[in-house]
Amino acid sequence: EVARETTSFLMLLLEMLEAAVPQEASPAPNNWFNNACIALANDLSKPLDLHTVAKQLEMGYESFRLKFRRQAGMPPGQYRDQQRCKAACDLLIHTRKPGWEIALYLGFCDEKHFSRCFTKWTGLSPRAYRVKYKVASGKNLKSQASNNK
């Protein structure tokens, strides 16, 4: 049971990382925007210095921030928060991990801070989100199973 849950958790994280990187028809080899998205979506449990990301991309901070905003439609910090929100939503729906563990995984200092941010992002508390969307996904699975009979 633990091994199965760990495996599905790791697969979920891989899917989230792949979904976080915008896909282009013909990605350029050294595409700064894809590299920036990868850097912003990596290791959500640790603080990220955007100046360091800009330096890794061989750009000045202001240039990076402005170009990223033009390309993504949001500043890099907001993009990273969006990735944290997506990860939190997926973890709440697809795992049984308690809120404090999700908070720790996503780099929040405590569960209360995570809960406040999550509520601001989604309009629902983590508990209410889990109840609402686990029930919805459970109904979808049941209706798919009955359709396959």
Side-chain angles (χ1 to χ4, degrees):
E1 176 68 26
V2 172
R4 185 180 312 131
E5 190 169 309
T6 301
T7 301
S8 59
F9 176 70
L10 291 173
M11 293 302 293
L12 174 66
L13 290 177
L14 180 60
E15 288 174 22
M16 290 171 19
L17 182 57
E18 288 171 351
V21 179
Q23 302 297 314
E24 294 182 4
S26 56
N30 202 12
N31 183 310
W32 74 268
F33 184 68
N34 282 344
N35 292 338
C37 289
I38 290 168
L40 293 169
N42 276 343
D43 201 356
L44 298 171
S45 67
K46 294 181 181 163
L48 182 67
D49 179 25
L50 296 178
H51 292 275
T52 303
V53 174
K55 196 173 199 175
Q56 290 170 346
L57 297 169
E58 299 177 353
M59 300 171 89
Y61 171 72
E62 282 301 318
S63 175
F64 162 64
R65 194 179 64 72
L66 292 172
K67 282 180 74 172
F68 189 92
R69 184 182 191 124
R70 266 187 298 230
Q71 187 77 23
M74 67 184 76
Q78 185 179 347
Y79 179 86
R80 183 158 171 91
D81 280 345
Q82 185 180 68
Q83 300 313 304
R84 290 169 92 190
C85 180
K86 286 179 184 178
C89 290
D90 286 341
L91 291 168
L92 287 165
I93 293 172
H94 299 293
T95 72
R96 294 182 185 153
K97 295 191 179 305
W100 67 266
E101 196 172 332
I102 293 172
L104 184 65
Y105 173 76
L106 295 175
F108 289 92
C109 57
D110 59 35
E111 187 176 3
K112 188 172 184 176
H113 182 220
F114 164 64
S115 183
R116 279 195 311 272
C117 289
F118 188 86
T119 302
K120 186 175 101 177
W121 294 332
T122 65
L124 295 170
S125 71
R127 177 174 284 140
Y129 186 92
R130 177 174 267 164
V131 167
K132 179 176 182 176
Y133 290 103
K134 267 205 177 213
V135 167
S137 64
K139 284 179 185 173
N140 291 342
L141 292 174
K142 286 177 188 174
S143 66
Q144 286 175 354
S146 64
N147 290 340
N148 291 335
K149 288 182 180 178

